[in-house]
Amino acid sequence: MDIDEPLPQRFILVQSHPHARQSDKTISLDSAEPLPPQQHPKSRSDERPYAPFRNFADYKFASRCVKRRMPNKDIDEDLNDMHDGVYSKDCKVTFYNHRDVGGSLAAARITNIPFHCETLHIDFDGPSLGKKYDVEVEFRDPWALIKRWAGDESLAMVSTWYSQRKYLCLNGAVDFSNRLYDEPWTGKTWWEVDDDLPDNPDLPACFLGLHIWLDKGQVSTKVKMHPILFRACWIESATRNGSGNGGGTLAGFVRMPEELKQLDPKTLSSSRRAEYDKLKRIIYHGVCRLVLNSLQNRSFHGEAFRFGDGVTRVGYPGILIQSMDFEEVAAWLAIRNSRSLHPCPQCLVHKDELHDLGLESEPRTPQSMSDRLSEAPNNSRTAREEFLRQFGLHDFVHFLWKFAHSDLYKAVGYDLLHYFDGGIWGRHLWILIKEYLQEHGLASAFNAYMDKFPRWRNLKHMSAPTTIDFSEGQTFVDILKCILPCISELLPRKSPLVRVVRIMQKMRMMLGLDVTLDSRLNHLRALISEYQNCCEDICRDFGKSFDFLKQHFLSHAAENFQLKGTSRNMNTRVGEGFQQEVSALYKKTNGKDAEHQISILDENEETMARLDMAVNAWQESQAESEELKLIAGDDADQETHWKLGSPETPILPRRLEVLRSDNRLYHNFDMRLREYLATCHPASPIRLEDDIKILPCKTLVVNYQSVVNWKGERDILRCNPNFHNKPRYDSIIFSAESNPLAFGKLELVFRCFLPRGVTLDLAMVRTYRNSSWKSKTPTDCPVRELNSSPTFISLEHVERGGLLCPVFGASKDVFYVIDCIDEDMYLRVNNID
């Protein structure tokens, strides 16, 4: 370690791999200011960044057409109106019809990595489906994509070429005991790959890991498509997980021959179904092998080229992360399905032991699986199949076994969307709870409680969740966040269903962190152990079996995060949005050879996204070159971490007291306010004859430093008697003398105008106190009671918003602190770090 400057009290230590030849650095966390947000790529300014379009007007019109995915007839109609003088007498757009637009887009696409078509020849030997198949594959060369990303100067500022080790240090000294994981290059796998690459200071070697996503999706009522999406793991997640330049890129489609599309596998006999599955597997892997073929030799030997930061390096490609639901994972890895003897893609756990989350099973590796295939007997097809069945394998040599730095089993990530949100919670335990409520006549009461749950920003409000038969993963997450105060007094005493809800809330927070630590992962492991104990009680009381694969994946979650960074790097949620894009693009085709048409439309959108970035940078550079004539006022507000919004009419406190005389909280409002100011703000003395004016506001915006990643976050809080036709008074977390984590309910937010030009931003709140009340089924969820008398606080003491919900059906008025509303709230309230 080589750090010269004095160490902050709290900091992140960053160690780059020795091949990077970079000194260690520290990132201070002591400042009240949060860490700056992730940078976004910028393009070099250019005199004509919109080229090859003739002028800026052509570029803007084409950009609008592409973004809105306008049909040709609408483009022609708009252009006719433009040139007929309907909109303007001086039209600068030079296009006259959609063909002109298409010609310019075709010229702009020249700078793209183009799609090209190759034919995959398969000679299949089978009694029913045996024949020669010619499969047309349209795809982009992944190596060309990699070189495009790595060589792009505009992406260099958001790229990290070498692995890193990060550590959280909290006591003013270097501490290697708590490693930090966020982006893929902070995981252990990347460091191991860098260790394996040659160390040549004159021509440095660099690992270029790919993230692969593929899935089948319904693009219409009759058509399914299998897009393949690539992301560059060395690009920061804010850019990598987006759809602009440096974001996810369509690489091609897995297409099946028409003969197979016409077969209904459910109607086939067992022998013919096995033959059908084998042929599909051969085609599937033949397409994937063809698409990735340009990476195989380079994964061993690399290729030198100039990177975006101006340095020439030898790039070694590899597959680092695979994000797919299990059906696609099984097809991609050529392993048997979830009902096989050994269904896990990462280890050889037996199907009867999937419930045991503490069991350590033999891991799958390319070498071990290749060895098992070699050991399989050849004297009998039946004997060979039975042998391979013991390892969950098909009789298949996987093409990725012949790639370097591409452990296809280790690359499988923990998919929070399919494995937890829509898996063990959405498709299993929520269903069990819902059926219990319905069978015992409790569903209506539960739905009524859920309807009364307080509203919160970005939280879906559901009035009758038990009537929802199917939904996407985020809806299940929102149910999980809201459910505890609605069932804790509804279900019997010591109910394992209440306990499992609480444990799952906590696990979901820890699984969803975008920055994690060894200490946080240890907390997650403890939660998983507690969860398994609760599952055993549920199994005993309800006969629920937990021998299913999505349950087992929990046992791999913590290790996956240590290997490849946090769940945002491997979650299929970022790919699911692309399916919607494919579906929208399909609707713009005529349905014939739709994949080819979609590839062109996608190229257009990629082209315009890159041009948009270049034009924005150009416009910024033009603006920066102008002389700025901004003069700060003498009374400029001091920068604060809060802002007031939705102001009402200024009013005297005595007048407000009269207008709200029916609300006991405003009794003696003027006197209590003066007493508070005299006690807490003596520097601005108030005489009895002095008038005080206040400006009531309905919105409070609080900026705070997240304890998850130490970056900036924002809460928008309401203090409004009529917000969307309902009263809404949010709660806050504030720092008090006796409690740095105090909770209060906003009753009034206002700016106070004092004599001599002094202003103060204050809130009248009702504070929450600790409660000794116990639920029927005790949990560790914090419980509070609301004090009846209000008090004043300065907004400088507000930390962030807080959500508390009444415990419905409780014997007294008590509230649960909803600490699972987001990851910051959970870590903050439970003092995890």
Side-chain angles (χ1 to χ4, degrees):
M1 177 184 159
D2 182 20
I3 297 178
D4 296 329
E5 68 271 13
L7 295 175
Q9 187 64 23
R10 300 185 312 138
F11 62 94
I12 295 172
L13 173 66
V14 182
Q15 291 184 322
S16 293
H17 192 275
H19 291 182
R21 289 171 172 77
Q22 296 176 0
S23 300
D24 296 346
K25 65 178 181 178
T26 62
I27 303 173
S28 175
L29 305 178
D30 283 346
S31 171
E33 293 295 319
L35 295 183
Q38 286 181 309
Q39 301 182 79
H40 293 280
K42 292 184 178 180
S43 292
R44 293 178 300 172
S45 61
D46 195 323
E47 292 183 0
R48 291 183 66 248
Y50 44 80
F53 294 97
R54 292 188 183 92
N55 56 38
F56 186 74
D58 282 358
Y59 151 75
K60 286 296 289 184
F61 183 80
S63 178
R64 186 183 67 165
C65 294
V66 170
K67 287 178 182 177
R68 298 182 182 181
R69 296 167 178 163
M70 291 174 61
N72 290 338
K73 63 181 183 61
D74 291 351
I75 295 174
D76 289 341
E77 183 179 348
D78 279 359
L79 289 172
N80 286 335
D81 289 342
M82 285 179 183
H83 292 293
D84 287 348
V86 174
Y87 296 135
S88 170
K89 297 295 184 183
D90 184 23
C91 179
K92 297 180 180 179
V93 175
T94 66
F95 301 134
Y96 282 88
N97 53 51
H98 70 272
R99 295 182 185 83
D100 294 342
V101 177
S104 290
L105 286 172
R109 287 199 304 271
I110 291 176
T111 60
N112 279 359
I113 305 303
F115 285 85
H116 67 282
C117 195
E118 292 189 25
T119 302
L120 179 67
H121 302 286
I122 295 174
D123 190 359
F124 182 66
D125 181 18
S128 301
L129 300 174
K131 58 174 288 189
K132 292 184 177 180
Y133 294 89
D134 291 335
V135 182
E136 296 293 325
V137 185
E138 190 167 15
F139 66 99
R140 283 168 159 161
D141 178 5
W143 180 245
L145 288 173
I146 288 173
K147 290 180 67 175
R148 174 64 172 273
W149 284 322
D152 191 330
E153 293 181 22
S154 67
L155 294 175
M157 64 186 297
V158 292
S159 298
T160 301
W161 313 118
Y162 295 96
S163 56
Q164 294 177 345
R165 287 175 177 163
K166 295 183 179 181
Y167 301 91
L168 179 64
C169 306
L170 298 177
N171 298 310
V174 172
D175 180 4
F176 295 108
S177 66
N178 204 8
R179 187 166 170 181
L180 181 151
Y181 309 90
D182 50 13
E183 297 284 4
W185 55 82
T186 65
K188 295 179 179 180
T189 298
W190 197 317
W191 192 281
E192 292 171 358
V193 173
D194 278 352
D195 281 344
D196 193 47
L197 293 178
D199 183 14
N200 184 348
D202 297 325
L203 194 59
C206 177
F207 176 58
L208 298 171
L210 276 183
H211 173 290
I212 293 185
W213 174 89
L214 58 89
D215 193 11
K216 66 178 182 301
Q218 202 81 30
V219 297
S220 74
T221 56
K222 299 178 181 179
V223 178
K224 289 183 180 179
M225 287 188 174
H226 293 69
I228 304 173
L229 203 66
F230 289 157
R231 298 183 191 274
C233 290
W234 61 90
I235 296 176
E236 289 181 356
S237 58
T239 302
R240 180 180 73 246
N241 290 339
S243 57
N245 188 31
T249 298
L250 178 65
F253 291 91
V254 178
R255 284 196 282 185
M256 295 295 166
E258 289 300 322
E259 302 98 307
L260 292 189
K261 290 182 180 180
Q262 295 166 4
L263 292 177
D264 184 351
K266 295 180 180 178
T267 65
L268 302 179
S269 64
S270 58
S271 59
R272 199 170 183 217
R273 175 60 187 268
E275 184 183 0
Y276 168 84
D277 290 340
K278 182 178 180 181
L279 176 56
K280 278 190 65 175
R281 192 159 50 248
I282 291 173
I283 294 174
Y284 186 98
H285 281 266
V287 171
C288 293
R289 182 178 64 250
L290 182 61
V291 170
L292 294 172
N293 182 58
S294 64
L295 305 184
Q296 182 174 342
N297 287 334
R298 292 182 175 95
S299 71
F300 287 96
H301 309 295
E303 181 179 306
F305 64 95
R306 182 184 175 89
F307 281 52
D309 60 355
V311 177
T312 299
R313 299 183 178 91
V314 179
Y316 290 80
I319 308 303
L320 182 66
I321 300 174
Q322 301 154 183
S323 294
M324 310 164 195
D325 64 22
F326 180 72
E327 184 178 351
E328 294 300 329
V329 167
W332 172 257
L333 300 183
I335 62 175
R336 296 179 183 270
N337 62 34
S338 58
R339 296 181 298 277
S340 65
L341 292 177
H342 298 276
C344 179
Q346 293 189 313
C347 73
L348 293 176
V349 63
H350 192 274
K351 68 174 184 177
D352 295 335
E353 296 175 330
L354 293 172
H355 65 278
D356 189 348
L357 302 180
L359 181 69
E360 292 188 11
S361 301
E362 178 188 349
R364 291 184 189 268
T365 66
Q367 187 61 53
S368 67
M369 294 300 99
S370 176
D371 290 344
R372 299 296 87 79
L373 191 66
S374 300
E375 294 165 3
N378 290 315
N379 57 338
S380 161
R381 178 179 295 180
T382 302
R384 186 174 179 82
E385 282 291 312
E386 282 302 314
F387 178 86
L388 294 175
R389 193 185 304 275
Q390 301 304 310
F391 304 97
L393 289 174
H394 289 292
D395 190 1
F396 196 87
V397 176
H398 202 289
F399 69 93
L400 280 180
W401 291 349
K402 301 177 181 179
F403 278 58
H405 317 303
S406 303
D407 187 326
L408 65 165
Y409 309 108
K410 191 181 289 187
V412 175
Y414 187 80
D415 179 12
L416 192 58
L417 175 63
H418 286 105
Y419 299 166
F420 190 95
D421 298 348
I424 58 176
W425 168 244
R427 301 284 184 250
H428 288 273
L429 286 163
W430 162 240
I431 299 300
L432 181 65
I433 293 170
K434 181 172 72 169
E435 290 175 349
Y436 180 91
L437 293 170
Q438 292 170 336
E439 290 170 4
H440 291 79
L442 302 172
S444 295
F446 171 76
N447 289 336
Y449 291 158
M450 288 286 284
D451 186 48
K452 295 176 183 177
F453 192 94
R455 296 176 186 271
W456 188 254
R457 187 165 173 254
N458 296 327
L459 178 67
K460 188 178 296 183
H461 188 82
M462 285 164 287
S463 58
T466 64
T467 64
I468 300 174
D469 293 325
F470 175 81
S471 189
E472 39 75 38
Q474 187 57 48
T475 299
F476 293 132
V477 175
D478 290 336
I479 292 173
L480 179 61
K481 290 181 177 182
C482 302
I483 191 174
L484 187 62
C486 304
I487 65 165
S488 64
E489 299 307 294
L490 203 57
L491 298 188
R493 292 187 180 278
K494 299 182 179 180
S495 170
L497 296 180
V498 175
R499 285 167 43 218
V500 81
V501 161
R502 178 58 183 157
I503 297 167
M504 296 192 77
Q505 286 181 336
K506 297 190 291 183
M507 284 198 304
R508 179 57 176 80
M509 292 298 100
M510 299 307 294
L511 289 167
L513 294 172
D514 59 13
V515 174
T516 195
L517 304 157
D518 282 334
S519 59
R520 294 177 181 179
L521 293 177
N522 289 336
H523 179 66
L524 173 61
R525 292 186 180 98
L527 290 175
I528 291 174
S529 178
E530 185 181 355
Y531 165 74
Q532 180 171 343
N533 293 335
C534 193
C535 288
E536 291 172 1
D537 293 340
I538 292 174
C539 180
R540 181 195 65 228
D541 294 351
F542 297 94
K544 169 68 177 175
S545 171
F546 288 90
D547 279 323
F548 55 90
L549 188 57
K550 291 178 181 179
Q551 175 85 352
H552 169 74
F553 277 129
L554 270 176
S555 66
H556 294 297
E559 182 187 17
N560 282 182
F561 299 155
Q562 289 177 316
L563 292 177
K564 300 179 288 289
T566 51
S567 59
R568 69 177 174 186
N569 302 330
M570 53 196 82
N571 198 350
T572 56
R573 194 181 300 274
V574 296
E576 296 291 333
F578 188 78
Q579 282 288 25
Q580 299 173 10
E581 291 187 33
V582 172
S583 180
L585 291 173
Y586 177 80
K587 293 179 175 62
K588 300 300 179 183
T589 72
N590 59 14
K592 298 177 181 178
D593 196 18
E595 286 88 352
H596 174 68
Q597 296 180 58
I598 288 175
S599 68
I600 294 176
L601 293 171
D602 182 76
E603 273 198 79
N604 286 341
E605 294 192 1
E606 180 186 332
T607 299
M608 297 314 298
R610 190 169 60 255
L611 284 178
D612 288 344
M613 190 173 67
V615 169
N616 290 339
W618 173 69
Q619 290 177 323
E620 288 176 10
S621 68
Q622 296 296 106
E624 291 169 356
S625 66
E626 298 176 2
E627 185 179 355
L628 299 179
K629 299 179 179 180
L630 300 177
I631 301 175
D634 294 336
D635 299 323
D637 289 340
Q638 183 180 358
E639 189 64 29
T640 62
H641 74 279
W642 73 90
K643 299 291 182 185
L644 296 176
S646 307
E648 299 184 38
T649 304
I651 191 172
L652 295 172
R654 292 190 300 273
R655 179 60 179 163
L656 182 66
E657 188 177 315
V658 172
L659 291 176
R660 303 190 182 182
S661 59
D662 59 337
N663 187 337
R664 62 177 181 79
L665 298 178
Y666 289 87
H667 291 178
N668 299 319
F669 179 83
D670 180 68
M671 182 181 297
R672 288 189 288 109
L673 177 59
R674 289 173 182 270
E675 290 174 352
Y676 166 80
L677 293 172
T679 303
C680 299
H681 298 277
S684 303
I686 307 295
R687 297 172 299 180
L688 286 176
E689 61 270 22
D690 287 338
D691 279 337
I692 303 173
K693 273 193 175 182
I694 65 171
L695 178 65
C697 296
K698 297 177 181 177
T699 304
L700 171 62
V701 179
V702 180
N703 297 306
Y704 62 94
Q705 186 184 50
S706 168
V707 298
V708 176
N709 56 19
W710 306 280
K711 295 181 180 178
E713 296 290 349
R714 182 179 71 167
D715 273 341
I716 300 177
L717 307 171
R718 309 292 178 179
C719 184
N720 193 335
N722 187 21
F723 183 72
H724 293 292
N725 301 318
K726 289 186 178 181
R728 178 166 167 181
Y729 295 92
D730 289 336
S731 295
I732 56 171
I733 297 177
F734 67 98
S735 178
E737 288 184 6
S738 58
N739 185 0
L741 200 68
F743 289 87
K745 181 180 180 183
L746 295 174
E747 298 292 349
L748 179 68
V749 179
F750 59 98
R751 176 160 291 171
C752 191
F753 298 92
L754 306 181
R756 291 168 290 282
V758 177
T759 62
L760 295 172
D761 288 345
L762 306 175
M764 183 174 72
V765 302
R766 293 169 66 193
T767 58
Y768 293 91
R769 64 183 184 274
N770 292 339
S771 175
S772 59
W773 174 85
K774 300 295 182 184
S775 172
K776 283 184 180 180
T777 304
T779 70
D780 62 355
C781 188
V783 182
R784 299 289 187 270
E785 294 182 34
L786 186 61
N787 290 317
S788 57
S789 300
T791 187
F792 295 101
I793 65 168
S794 173
L795 294 186
E796 64 181 315
H797 299 306
V798 176
E799 298 288 339
R800 59 155 292 171
L803 180 63
L804 292 92
C805 177
V807 182
F808 301 109
S811 56
K812 61 188 301 188
D813 291 336
V814 291
F815 297 79
Y816 275 145
V817 176
I818 309 301
D819 59 357
C820 63
I821 198 64
D822 58 50
E823 290 82 1
D824 172 87
M825 179 74 82
Y826 180 75
L827 297 182
R828 193 182 293 262
V829 170
N830 296 282
N831 196 25
I832 298 300
D833 293 333

